[in-house]
Amino acid sequence: MAMDIAHQIGALAGTPISAESITGTTTGDATTTVNAAAVWKSPVPSVRCKIQKPDNAEQKSQPTSPCRSPILSAMRPDLSVACKAYATGLVEKEEKMYKEGGAVEKGKGVPVYVMMPLDSVTAGNTVNRRKAVNASLQALKSAGVEGIMMDVWWGLVERDEAGVYNWGGYNELLEMAKRHGLKVQAVMSFHQCGGNVGDSCFIPLPKWVVEEVDKNPDLAYTDQWGRRNYEYISLGCDTLPVLKGRTPVQCYSDFMRAFRDNFKHLLGDTIVEIQVGMGPAGELRYPSYPEQNGTWKFPGIGAFQCYDKYMLSSLKAAAEAVGKPEWGSTGPTDAGHYNNWPEDTQFFRKEGGGWNSPYGEFFLSWYSQLLLDHGERILSSTKAIFENTGVKISVKVAGIHWHYGSRSHAPELTAGYYNTRFRDGYLPIAQMLARHGAIFNFTCIEMRDHEQPQDALCAPEKLVKQVVLATREARVPLAGENALPRHDEYAHEQILQASSLNMDKHSDDREMCAFTYLRMTPHLFQPDNWRRFVAFVKKMREGKYPDRCWEQVEREAEHFVHVSQPLVQEAAVALMH
């Protein structure tokens, strides 16, 4: 029961405007796109915020009620002006480009993207909840969002037969994004959906790949107890023709090449970034902490994934190369179980732990280097495929913050990040990405240390700082995501702080090149959540050197929320159904 959005907004303002209603159709003329910048640039008296520093410590004043604020009363714009701006789009469009080396021009701010639902495309290769998606994209555009991030699932597109691609649902979804003027970060999702935090649906690897794994279980990552993980093909066979005559890397490359050829008309304009999946959850890591079937629970240390025959063959060769063949028959046998803590194990304990022994250094160097080599192989191919198309390439790195305060950093080690109290494990990753001109995308940006279990020595803020410093040294752009859904201002403020990269006294004009918000759901469009989100997007766009104070930004956002309320209600209701 879609209502005409233009009519609803016009009714609020007392001014009728002509625009197409949201019908959910994906053909025909482009629908009118609501532009939040137009509302924000409505005739409003210029309000400057003068900051006075008293002799005593600065006290935070309580926010004035919008209904009683004399400033707000003076600056309340005529809603008819806002509605005309909606319809005509008379605001100059700002184009934001990722800057080489991660630098963003002063005052440009951080563009915000929003992750689409994992099941945005159905198993039948159509857009899921088409009407809801259409309404939601219009609402996001109206709020000043730069674009969306969407998973392009290997298991859907190349599902039934090797080399046969069905882009049906993605053709429609990308055209919808283009029509609303939204940029797209396309994730080449070569992993299974299901089994990780936040996975709300199940999308397996392509059927023909699963058949090959069934015939040869060593294609799957394997732990020391023989448990197989089907989320992602083991990197141990990256260069072996084990998938119907092709190597896994060739399969990934052919998929991306087909994507490029099918969507070449959108590359660099609508599609501005390719995030290439490199492991479970699309992250460059081993599947060391799988939630599926209750195998792992937070904050367990996880387990090494190097027991398929291809990984063991590599380990054997590496041990012989250093003259220690006895090190090549197996991984650490004293590293505990998925849900142990570091001090429960001989290998990870702080005093005399095997991680800090010659054998530990050999094994962890080999294990982490294979992950880096995996990234190198895929990025080399990705860079060649998308060269001169105008798109950026990014890689997602997991924010493994639990037991970060321990000496061994056990959960990071089992995931393949050789990061300990005595060694920086993120600089080599940043340097690898820099060699290929890729963006370092990092999670857990919204978290604060004190919000996490202190007995598990969680330290997401310290982890983020380490990554910021590593990307600065490697001169690689840094982008961020929140690891868990958060709609509160406390989390928003943490994201704002982290995205400004103000981590130490040497902070410069760098900011994150982009931030991707998890995720587009009915909860996002609930009135209070939407109000906070609109203000958050506006603040992010203001950048680290805003000309105005936050109170003014929030007042403008509050006004916009009232104007856009019918549109947002439409999106929320449609998504729930």
Side-chain angles (χ1 to χ4, degrees), residues 267-339:
L267 295 177
D269 181 17
T270 297
I271 302 170
V272 296
E273 181 182 324
I274 298 295
Q275 184 174 112
V276 55
M278 294 193 173
E283 297 167 334
L284 177 65
R285 65 173 175 88
Y286 294 100
S288 56
Y289 50 99
E291 279 202 314
Q292 199 167 25
N293 302 320
T295 302
W296 170 87
K297 290 184 174 62
F298 177 85
I301 60 176
F304 291 112
Q305 306 290 313
C306 59
Y307 292 88
D308 63 77
K309 67 182 182 182
Y310 304 106
M311 294 280 283
L312 288 175
S313 176
S314 171
L315 178 61
K316 183 175 184 292
E320 291 173 351
V322 297
K324 293 284 188 179
E326 66 273 17
W327 288 352
S329 60
T330 182
T333 57
D334 57 353
H337 201 273
Y338 286 97
N339 293 309

Side-chain angles (χ1 to χ4, degrees), residues 213 216-224 226-238 252 278-280 283-288 303-311 338 367 370-371 374 377 415:
V213 177
N216 180 7
D218 282 291
L219 298 182
Y221 281 117
T222 309
D223 64 21
Q224 69 184 88
R227 185 184 285 104
R228 309 285 189 178
N229 187 298
Y230 295 91
E231 292 181 67
Y232 188 85
I233 298 297
S234 169
L235 61 77
C237 56
D238 267 359
Y252 307 149
M278 294 193 173
E283 297 167 334
L284 177 65
R285 65 173 175 88
Y286 294 100
S288 56
F304 291 112
Q305 306 290 313
C306 59
Y307 292 88
D308 63 77
K309 67 182 182 182
Y310 304 106
M311 294 280 283
Y338 286 97
Y367 189 69
L370 256 59
L371 192 65
H374 175 66
R377 281 189 288 268

Side-chain angles (χ1 to χ4, degrees), residues 12-175:
L12 280 176
T15 305
I17 53 179
S18 176
E20 293 184 15
S21 63
I22 293 181
T23 62
T25 182
T26 56
T27 58
D29 296 334
T31 58
T32 301
T33 302
V34 183
N35 193 327
V39 179
W40 286 328
K41 292 190 178 182
S42 300
V44 177
S46 177
V47 180
R48 294 282 174 177
C49 299
K50 184 177 180 181
I51 301 176
Q52 296 180 337
K53 295 184 178 180
D55 294 333
N56 58 340
E58 185 179 60
Q59 299 294 321
K60 291 186 178 179
S61 59
Q62 294 299 315
T64 306
S65 168
C67 299
R68 299 180 181 178
S69 169
I71 301 179
L72 182 59
S73 299
M75 64 180 283
R76 188 183 302 275
D78 182 359
L79 287 179
S80 63
V81 176
C83 292
K84 289 178 182 177
Y86 272 126
T88 58
L90 296 176
V91 179
E92 182 179 354
K93 187 177 180 181
E94 293 183 2
E95 292 291 334
K96 294 187 183 297
M97 299 295 291
Y98 294 159
K99 305 299 179 182
E100 293 298 330
V104 177
E105 291 181 4
K106 181 176 180 178
K108 286 295 182 182
V110 180
V112 175
Y113 291 74
V114 175
M115 292 185 206
M116 296 291 288
L118 293 168
D119 61 348
S120 292
V121 172
T122 69
N125 291 98
T126 61
V127 174
N128 200 11
R129 300 180 297 272
R130 183 183 291 111
K131 177 181 175 182
V133 169
N134 196 59
S136 301
L137 295 186
Q138 189 169 355
L140 293 178
K141 178 63 179 179
S142 76
V145 166
E146 185 81 0
I148 56 176
M149 173 181 278
M150 64 174 69
D151 288 279
V152 183
W153 294 105
W154 186 28
L156 293 181
V157 176
E158 197 180 356
R159 181 180 59 189
D160 297 316
E161 187 177 345
V164 177
Y165 308 99
N166 185 338
W167 303 106
Y170 293 104
N171 282 322
E172 189 177 350
L173 195 54
L174 284 162
E175 286 298 330

Side-chain angles (χ1 to χ4, degrees), residues 159-162 204-217 219 230 233 242-244:
R159 181 180 59 189
D160 297 316
E161 187 177 345
L205 299 181
K207 290 180 180 178
W208 58 274
V209 174
V210 174
E211 290 170 0
E212 294 300 304
V213 177
D214 287 341
K215 289 187 288 187
N216 180 7
L219 298 182
Y230 295 91
I233 298 297
V242 293
L243 297 178
K244 296 189 180 297

Side-chain angles (χ1 to χ4, degrees), residues 453-464:
Q454 294 307 295
D455 55 346
L457 301 179
C458 299
E461 290 178 88
K462 295 181 180 66
L463 173 58
V464 169

Side-chain angles (χ1 to χ4, degrees), residues 23 86 119 162 191 201 218 318 351 429 454 459-460 527 539 546 548:
T23 62
Y86 272 126
D119 61 348
H191 62 285
C201 60
D218 282 291
E351 297 291 349
I429 297 173
Q454 294 307 295
K539 290 176 184 179
R548 297 167 300 166

